[in-house]
Amino acid sequence: EDLPAAYKGYYFPAEAETKLMNLAKSGNEEEALKLLDEIYRTNMERALPLPLLRLLVHDLWGSLVKLAEEIRWPEEDMLADVIDFLHAANFDSFEDQAKSFDAIADTYRQICRIVNQRKKSRNTELADGILRYIHERYAAEDLSLTGLSDKFQLSEAYISQFFKEQTGTNFFEYLESLRMENAMKFLKETGAPIQEIAAKVGYHSASTFRRAFKRVHGISPTDYRNSLEI
């Protein structure tokens, strides 16, 4: 009843709501807050009447409640906090609406940070799993990005990029370094022939092993073993 006879309505189209929720679900705090600020400024420039501004604020809170459920926000009190906020707020002035926008922005900020914490936790878990698998199977001649892709159900391209991001080196360099590290251990602690050590660390031929060893350590396996006897 308080609305004027003619009005254009507030700006919060379905595509803006979808984009805002997707940005939050991806943890993109900067872009989510930027879009929220755009929604706020656009509506302020329209000089909305207070009743319409109230509807907009409630609409934004409603989106947050839906979003919290979609991401399974662990804080069970979130919905209760929203209800308490809405119940306590007077919404009798434009200043009250501005405060509500600030509270909405803070909630989006919290959600983005929770999402990023989860992503970081999942990344750590995945990285640990990949490294554990490599260390357990480094001696297998067929250990490859294809094998890792099949094991962890991720594309080879993603595994390759993810591994480089997490370890600072690519998969093949890491694997070769691990094999050479163990080769040095076998050369130092056993009298096993070079051919046998090569097989133990994942090389099908002694010549391939010798070339890799010299490339990494700057010395041949035989010369390294002999140096230990000096």
Side-chain angles (χ1 to χ4, degrees):
E1 292 178 358
D2 293 333
L3 295 178
Y7 63 92
K8 296 180 180 179
Y10 58 77
Y11 170 76
F12 189 41
E15 57 268 25
E17 179 185 35
T18 300
K19 182 178 180 181
L20 184 60
M21 293 175 70
N22 286 338
L23 286 169
K25 284 188 283 187
S26 69
N28 194 334
E29 179 181 334
E30 181 179 356
E31 291 300 318
L33 294 179
K34 187 184 296 183
L35 178 55
L36 191 61
D37 184 61
E38 177 189 328
I39 292 169
Y40 177 79
R41 286 185 293 100
T42 299
N43 283 289
M44 291 301 100
E45 289 169 1
R46 292 188 176 195
L48 292 177
L50 192 56
L52 267 186
L53 200 52
R54 287 197 198 102
L55 289 176
L56 170 62
V57 168
H58 280 76
D59 209 357
L60 286 165
W61 278 116
S63 297
L64 271 172
V65 172
K66 288 187 289 185
L67 176 60
E69 185 173 350
E70 285 186 27
I71 67 167
R72 292 181 172 82
W73 191 349
E75 283 76 0
E76 296 179 358
D77 293 337
M78 183 269 183
L79 181 57
D81 289 343
V82 171
I83 292 173
D84 288 344
F85 180 88
L86 295 174
H87 181 71
N90 293 321
F91 299 118
D92 290 334
S93 68
F94 287 100
E95 183 179 356
D96 292 333
Q97 308 308 320
K99 289 179 180 177
S100 191
F101 261 97
D102 288 340
I104 290 169
D106 285 341
T107 307
Y108 269 105
R109 190 175 290 110
Q110 290 180 51
I111 288 177
C112 287
R113 290 175 183 176
I114 286 173
V115 168
N116 286 322
Q117 286 170 4
R118 287 179 180 175
K119 286 164 63 176
K120 184 177 180 180
S121 177
R122 284 195 297 268
N123 285 347
T124 299
E125 185 178 341
L126 176 59
D128 288 346
I130 291 173
L131 290 174
R132 185 165 52 250
Y133 185 77
I134 292 172
H135 279 256
E136 289 172 353
R137 293 182 51 80
Y138 76 91
E141 292 180 17
D142 62 348
L143 181 58
S144 64
L145 280 174
T146 301
L148 289 176
S149 174
D150 293 340
K151 169 68 177 176
F152 293 95
Q153 296 296 295
L154 296 165
S155 71
E156 289 185 39
Y158 181 85
I159 286 281
S160 178
Q161 180 181 355
F162 177 80
F163 192 89
K164 181 73 177 288
E165 289 173 353
Q166 297 298 311
T167 65
T169 186
N170 68 49
F171 164 74
F172 296 105
E173 290 174 346
Y174 186 92
L175 178 59
E176 184 176 66
S177 177
L178 178 61
R179 285 172 168 172
M180 292 300 104
E181 179 183 333
N182 281 278
M184 290 182 72
K185 181 179 178 182
F186 288 131
L187 288 166
K188 182 178 181 180
E189 299 178 0
T190 76
I194 300 299
Q195 178 74 42
E196 183 180 324
I197 291 176
K200 282 184 175 182
V201 297
Y203 291 88
H204 66 279
S205 74
S207 59
T208 302
F209 167 69
R210 288 190 179 94
R211 286 196 298 272
F213 193 95
K214 189 166 186 178
R215 182 172 61 253
V216 173
H217 297 299
I219 188 174
S220 72
T222 301
D223 288 342
Y224 173 73
R225 174 175 271 171
N226 291 338
S227 72
L228 298 174
E229 299 174 357
I230 298 175

